[in-house]
Amino acid sequence: MNAQTQPSPTVFDVERIRADFPLLSRTVHDKPLIYFDNANTSQKPLSVIEAVDQHYRLRNANVSRAVHLIGEEATAAYEGARDKLARFINATSRNELILTSGTTQAMNLIAYSFAMPRLKEGDSILTTVMEHHANIVPWQIVASRTGATVKAAPIDDRGELILEKYIEMLTPDVKLACVTHVSNVLGTVNPVREIARECRKRGIPLVVDGSQAVPHRPVDVQALGCDFYAFTGHKMLSPTGTGGLWARKEHLEAMPPFFGGGEMIREVSFSGTTFAAPPHKFEAGTPNIAGFAGVGAAIEYYDSIGFDAIHSWEQQLLSYATERLRDIPGLRIVGEAKEKEPVISFLIDGAQATDLATLLDLQGVAVRSGHHCAHPLMQFFKVPATLRASLAFYNTREEVDAFITALLKVRKLLM
């Protein structure tokens, strides 16, 4: 199918939205920037940039440590971000949401505070072949220290989790189950509700990596039924060094702290320390206050557009880009699940992914090449790397057309 036979898109004022993102107007190598690396990090709207700027200009003070006005204002903005995030993912309570530097910190917190005290020799942690390293490596580290093992549920050639195999592997030795909500390489959307239901039947806590889900779809942790849900701010319009971990209240109350220091205590003496209640028990030291001011602004920006409109537009872009890529001779799309978010990994016969990405950059196109922090997935598909084009709601059909033109040009140079 070519560009002329695509269905007409629904009305979506993408040009108005693009005007909110300053970086999208720049040029790269004297070419207009086409930013298709959104699964790596998203661009930031002006309101987020201004929120960070206003923090440093008007209320640069530490949180929860002063009674002066700017300290109170900084605390209100920081804790306000927690309230907005709790609503954003439909947490039962704001106290179930730990503010972190991102998914990696969240996963390590679960690994050391929840998993390690519970694991022993003969126990297992179940994950999947399609996971990001952040949902593999922390489990391997705690498994090596406890005598437990890590096992991975398989996927099929379309890049879909084989659900019946995952369920089959939920054997009595499994003390923790893990799964990504959306694959960062394939865009595959996993059946988290079904997995959570099967885990609950067996009393197995479920950890979900939501990094690639929260930028594209509404997330309701209560409806999903998982025990932990981790996500990263910089992929959802927010500053780097931000993110969150939602966990069930009973888990947070039972877990010991991972980091020790200021702000996570009630009282300290040399005879012992009593810790603050969750979530502050897990938030030692000075946080990224300005960054979370930006998170609050990012959520307001999402609210102003709405996920129905975002999802509809992104799915149109995904369909359009996929069909246009299929017209390129020798191109192989890696991962074609029935339900996907706007991430397309692919290879072209006779061309290295890194060479393609380098030449595309000279045409103003930013994409990601490499293993995408997913070595086991690359090994499954028997490839060293892929080229990944990941889209967002501020991208356009015209950018897809320009990307295809650039790809055909660089392909010709490499053939």
Side-chain angles (χ1 to χ4, degrees):
M1 186 182 293
N2 59 37
Q4 284 70 39
T5 61
Q6 291 296 312
S8 299
T10 56
V11 175
F12 184 79
D13 195 353
V14 68
E15 292 303 327
R16 179 192 63 78
I17 289 169
R18 286 176 65 82
D20 294 334
F21 291 80
L23 191 136
L24 297 181
S25 64
R26 71 162 289 180
T27 57
V28 175
H29 303 299
D30 297 322
K31 304 284 195 310
L33 171 66
I34 298 172
Y35 187 78
F36 282 3
D37 196 18
N38 294 285
N40 198 355
T41 194
S42 69
Q43 294 306 321
K44 321 305 176 193
L46 191 58
S47 60
V48 170
I49 298 168
E50 288 175 343
V52 175
D53 178 74
Q54 289 298 302
H55 170 80
Y56 286 121
R57 288 181 184 272
L58 299 177
R59 57 172 184 269
N60 182 35
N62 215 328
V63 294
S64 306
R65 298 182 187 181
V67 295
H68 52 70
L69 180 60
I70 61 171
E72 291 177 351
E73 290 174 347
T75 301
Y78 180 74
E79 292 296 337
R82 192 192 310 275
D83 290 329
K84 292 173 184 176
L85 281 171
R87 175 185 54 77
F88 191 65
I89 62 170
N90 196 31
T92 307
S93 165
R94 71 188 307 275
N95 294 328
E96 295 173 341
L97 186 63
I98 303 164
L99 301 184
T100 71
S101 63
T103 298
T104 297
Q105 183 189 346
M107 292 300 189
N108 278 273
L109 172 57
I110 301 167
Y112 287 98
S113 291
F114 182 81
M116 193 156 72
R118 291 165 172 77
L119 291 173
K120 64 184 186 305
E121 189 171 355
D123 290 341
S124 297
I125 300 169
L126 177 63
T127 186
T128 84
V129 170
M130 71 172 72
E131 302 303 317
H132 186 283
H133 294 162
N135 207 12
I136 300 173
V137 177
W139 317 128
Q140 290 177 330
I141 293 173
V142 297
S144 70
R145 297 181 182 183
T146 59
T149 58
V150 178
K151 55 186 183 181
I155 63 174
D156 62 24
D157 290 339
R158 292 178 59 85
E160 293 180 327
L161 180 65
I162 304 174
L163 181 59
E164 59 271 25
K165 290 292 186 182
Y166 190 101
I167 295 170
E168 199 176 286
M169 294 176 73
L170 291 171
T171 48
D173 58 294
V174 175
K175 305 305 178 186
L176 188 70
C178 313
V179 69
T180 185
H181 198 164
V182 174
S183 167
N184 71 305
V185 180
L186 310 172
T188 302
V189 180
N190 281 318
V192 172
R193 290 190 191 194
E194 292 87 339
I195 292 170
R197 183 171 60 245
E198 296 299 326
C199 286
R200 283 197 305 276
K201 288 179 183 177
R202 296 159 175 79
I204 301 171
L206 176 64
V207 177
V208 179
D209 175 357
S211 297
Q212 299 293 338
V214 289
H216 303 294
R217 55 176 46 217
V219 169
D220 183 337
V221 293
Q222 295 186 62
L224 289 175
C226 56
D227 292 82
F228 300 91
Y229 196 95
F231 56 93
T232 294
H234 73 87
K235 299 181 191 298
M236 49 174 284
L237 311 183
S238 302
T240 54
T242 62
L245 171 63
W246 171 84
R248 294 186 181 277
K249 178 182 177 182
E250 59 268 27
H251 296 326
L252 293 178
E253 289 178 343
M255 289 161 58
F258 178 29
F259 294 110
E263 294 309 308
M264 45 78 71
I265 51 85
R266 279 204 179 103
E267 185 177 351
V268 175
S269 71
F270 283 107
S271 61
T273 295
T274 56
F275 301 113
H280 299 289
K281 177 170 69 170
F282 304 102
E283 296 178 6
T286 299
N288 184 359
I289 305 166
F292 280 100
V295 170
I299 293 171
E300 290 176 357
Y301 191 86
Y302 277 120
D303 288 343
S304 73
I305 301 174
F307 269 110
D308 286 346
I310 287 171
H311 190 260
S312 175
W313 181 249
E314 289 182 343
Q315 287 298 307
Q316 289 180 55
L317 288 176
L318 173 63
S319 176
Y320 183 63
T322 301
E323 293 306 320
R324 296 235 44 205
L325 284 167
R326 284 185 179 135
D327 288 339
I328 297 177
L331 188 143
R332 170 196 172 196
I333 294 176
V334 180
E336 296 198 71
K338 292 178 183 176
E339 187 178 4
K340 286 184 62 171
E341 292 300 352
V343 176
I344 311 171
S345 283
F346 62 95
L347 295 165
I348 294 179
D349 291 343
Q352 296 293 322
T354 302
D355 293 340
L356 285 167
T358 301
L359 292 172
L360 283 170
D361 177 60
L362 296 175
Q363 300 300 312
V365 180
V367 292
R368 174 87 182 268
S369 64
H371 55 73
H372 315 294
C373 297
H375 277 154
L377 185 60
M378 297 295 109
Q379 292 160 10
F380 171 80
F381 283 109
K382 297 180 173 58
V383 297
T386 68
L387 201 66
R388 183 185 69 187
S390 49
L391 313 177
F393 63 89
Y394 44 68
N395 290 129
T396 68
R397 287 164 65 96
E398 291 75 18
E399 285 184 311
V400 172
D401 291 337
F403 163 60
I404 297 298
T405 299
L407 189 58
L408 287 168
K409 181 177 180 178
V410 301
R411 175 184 175 275
K412 187 176 181 180
L413 291 172
L414 292 170
M415 293 297 105

